[in-house]
Amino acid sequence: MSLESTETTSTQPEAAVDMESLLQEQEGYVARPGELRKGRVIQITENGALIDVGLKREGFVPASDLRQVRKEMGEIHEGDEVLVKLLEGESEGYIKASIYQARLEEDWIRAEEMMKSGALYEGRISSFNRGGLTVQFGRIRGFIPVSQVVGIPRGLKEAERRQRLAAMVGETVGLRVVDVNRAERRLVFSQRRAHRAWQRILRKRLLDSLEAGQRRRGRISSITDFGVFVDLGHSVEGLVHLSELAWHRVEDLRQAFHVGDEVEVVVLDVNKSRERISLSIKQTQEDPWAQAEKKYRENQLVEGRVTRITDIGAFVELEPGVEGLLHTSELIGAPNVTPAQVLKVGETVLLKVLEVSASRRRIRLSARRVRREEWEQWAAERAAREQAPE
């Protein structure tokens, strides 16, 4: 038949031909077991669910499959759009299907895509065995061989290795997919290959979460002449300046603090662009001046330690963080003596309180107003304490 005779004898509209061929194609369509198709839930009964999968026959998902879906993934309702996996055989003229298995296949597909792209997976360690760790990936259980676990060197004794693996259960880690085999139902991860990228993510998360006023715990990572650096985790360090170490004067930093010490700090300021963090240790403690006016009153006898001697007098520490001024005019023998002539740094002295101003953080003290009998009684009691056996 020539092209010309064909054109003159065909009177059926082109749209009708296309629709007819589409219907014929759909009627002849054979559902392939294992195929994934999107559909919509038409009806749910006690026997199962009917799914419109876009074919001449609907799909049927048995009640047992729905129970598994409800148990692990939540409820399915009429009208919901779902992914189903077509199965072999029929059920009362319907195509057998499974929503649960389709969800599993989704996870396998996602795992394959992550392996190709090298994307990071954040997973929680669910269990361990002698060979490594297990982690849930959607509805699939993945495996991390011990050789791919960070912090477990080769040659470790089995008891120590099992102890370290057990300690990781419940921990959230960063992983990369290294092997996916759907046929053998095998999914393998590596923590080692994801470690650096995961540390960068954790570092950024911690930096983003820091705000002024927060209380945090960390470990002292280094000590300098101007303060100490505290590691808040994931190599995020903040500086506690000398002025923020304590309410009292810290004479010897390296004696008061040690690398590795765990400390509580308050975040003072965060510069996220420059990754600079200012911290305070003293802000975690009560300001001793807050109770000063209740603890110290006019004419009260107090014992203190001389911390500094200047031309105007001596500074005396009554308790850590609270210092008073013993002016030259209040020295015994004033005005004929200077502070350096009658006092030594570190010496303990008995004084009398003249004035307390907590708001100005000032206490005025006097030595010459201490009566002789008061001083003699104090000296005798102090000598007795020093001689008493411990």
Side-chain angles (χ1 to χ4, degrees):
M1 184 180 298
S2 68
L3 180 60
E4 183 180 356
S5 61
T6 303
E7 289 178 349
T8 54
T9 56
S10 177
T11 57
Q12 196 169 13
E14 184 178 350
V17 173
D18 290 343
M19 182 61 70
E20 184 179 341
S21 61
L22 183 63
L23 289 170
Q24 288 174 353
E25 181 181 337
Q26 183 167 302
E27 286 180 6
Y29 178 84
V30 178
R32 294 186 295 275
E35 181 182 355
L36 297 178
R37 291 187 72 93
K38 281 187 178 180
R40 190 172 297 278
V41 180
I42 303 172
Q43 184 181 20
I44 298 176
T45 68
E46 60 181 14
N47 297 321
L50 288 180
I51 313 293
D52 179 2
V53 291
L55 302 174
K56 183 179 180 182
R57 289 177 297 166
E58 286 84 15
F60 178 74
V61 177
S64 58
D65 192 274
L66 292 180
R67 283 194 294 271
Q68 206 165 10
V69 171
R70 290 191 191 103
K71 181 180 177 182
E72 299 186 25
M73 308 169 196
E75 286 288 338
I76 299 292
H77 304 92
E78 291 181 2
D80 285 354
E81 190 176 87
V82 293
L83 188 71
V84 298
K85 181 178 181 179
L86 305 183
L87 306 176
E88 290 186 3
E90 296 184 358
S91 177
E92 299 180 359
Y94 299 109
I95 303 169
K96 282 188 176 180
S98 169
I99 296 174
Y100 182 76
Q101 290 187 39
R103 295 281 179 89
L104 287 177
E105 292 299 325
E106 275 188 306
D107 292 330
W108 284 108
I109 292 169
R110 185 161 66 100
E112 289 169 344
E113 290 173 348
M114 291 187 78
M115 185 172 68
K116 289 177 183 176
S117 67
L120 210 66
Y121 174 66
E122 181 176 343
R124 183 175 176 272
I125 305 300
S126 54
S127 63
F128 78 100
N129 54 45
R130 101 178 262 193
L133 302 164
T134 58
V135 60
Q136 219 43 48
F137 184 85
R139 273 74 65 180
I140 309 169
R141 189 192 301 183
F143 182 66
I144 313 167
V146 70
S147 62
Q148 296 301 315
V149 178
V150 172
I152 303 187
R154 293 180 183 178
L156 205 63
K157 291 183 179 180
E158 184 174 347
E160 176 68 15
R161 184 174 69 246
R162 289 181 66 85
Q163 187 177 3
R164 293 196 187 186
L165 290 172
M168 293 184 69
V169 174
E171 186 179 334
T172 299
V173 295
L175 304 166
R176 291 197 194 278
V177 181
V178 294
D179 186 29
V180 181
N181 190 315
R182 266 201 261 183
E184 297 181 9
R185 318 298 287 179
R186 184 174 69 244
L187 175 60
V188 182
F189 291 98
S190 170
Q191 186 191 12
R192 289 186 181 276
R193 296 190 188 182
H195 187 60
R196 288 186 180 179
W198 179 240
Q199 288 302 309
R200 287 195 296 271
I201 289 172
L202 292 180
R203 177 182 171 81
K204 185 177 184 306
R205 285 181 184 175
L206 179 54
L207 278 168
D208 289 344
S209 70
L210 290 177
E211 292 180 0
Q214 287 180 341
R215 286 197 176 212
R216 295 273 182 167
R217 297 201 72 83
R219 291 192 180 275
I220 295 177
S221 54
S222 62
I223 300 174
T224 70
D225 292 337
F226 51 84
V228 301
F229 284 93
V230 176
D231 187 344
L232 299 175
H234 311 302
S235 299
V236 175
E237 288 187 331
L239 173 65
V240 183
H241 190 265
L242 281 170
S243 59
E244 291 295 333
L245 288 172
W247 290 104
H248 59 280
R249 191 185 312 279
V250 179
E251 304 293 345
D252 189 339
L253 268 178
R254 288 169 178 80
Q255 187 176 357
F257 299 96
H258 303 90
V259 172
D261 284 353
E262 185 176 343
V263 292
E264 185 178 20
V265 295
V266 170
V267 179
L268 298 181
D269 184 57
V270 182
N271 187 323
K272 295 180 181 179
S273 61
R274 301 177 68 184
E275 296 190 1
R276 288 191 176 180
I277 305 160
S278 298
L279 305 172
S280 173
I281 292 177
K282 81 175 187 182
Q283 295 294 334
T284 65
Q285 305 155 0
E286 183 182 8
D287 182 354
W289 281 96
Q291 301 297 322
E293 290 183 345
K294 292 181 181 179
K295 294 177 68 174
Y296 306 105
R297 61 189 181 279
E298 188 178 344
N299 293 321
Q300 178 183 353
L301 288 172
V302 292
E303 184 179 284
R305 183 179 64 89
V306 178
T307 57
R308 287 178 292 158
I309 296 176
T310 68
D311 292 338
I312 65 168
F315 288 90
V316 180
E317 183 183 65
L318 304 183
E319 64 176 276
V322 176
E323 283 187 340
L325 174 63
L326 173 58
H327 193 267
T328 53
S329 61
E330 294 297 332
L331 291 172
I332 297 174
N336 299 319
V337 297
T338 64
Q341 289 176 313
V342 294
L343 296 171
K344 295 180 190 175
V345 171
E347 179 182 4
T348 300
V349 291
L350 181 68
L351 304 168
K352 187 163 284 190
V353 176
L354 298 181
E355 181 187 10
V356 181
S357 176
S359 60
R360 298 170 66 192
R361 305 176 84 84
R362 286 185 182 179
I363 295 180
R364 288 176 53 227
L365 303 168
S366 173
R368 67 182 183 86
R369 302 194 196 194
V370 176
R371 299 197 305 272
R372 183 181 183 83
E373 60 269 25
E374 291 173 330
W375 184 89
E376 288 177 347
Q377 182 181 350
W378 170 76
E381 290 174 352
R382 188 161 180 264
R385 287 197 305 267
E386 291 174 351
Q387 293 174 6
E390 293 183 1

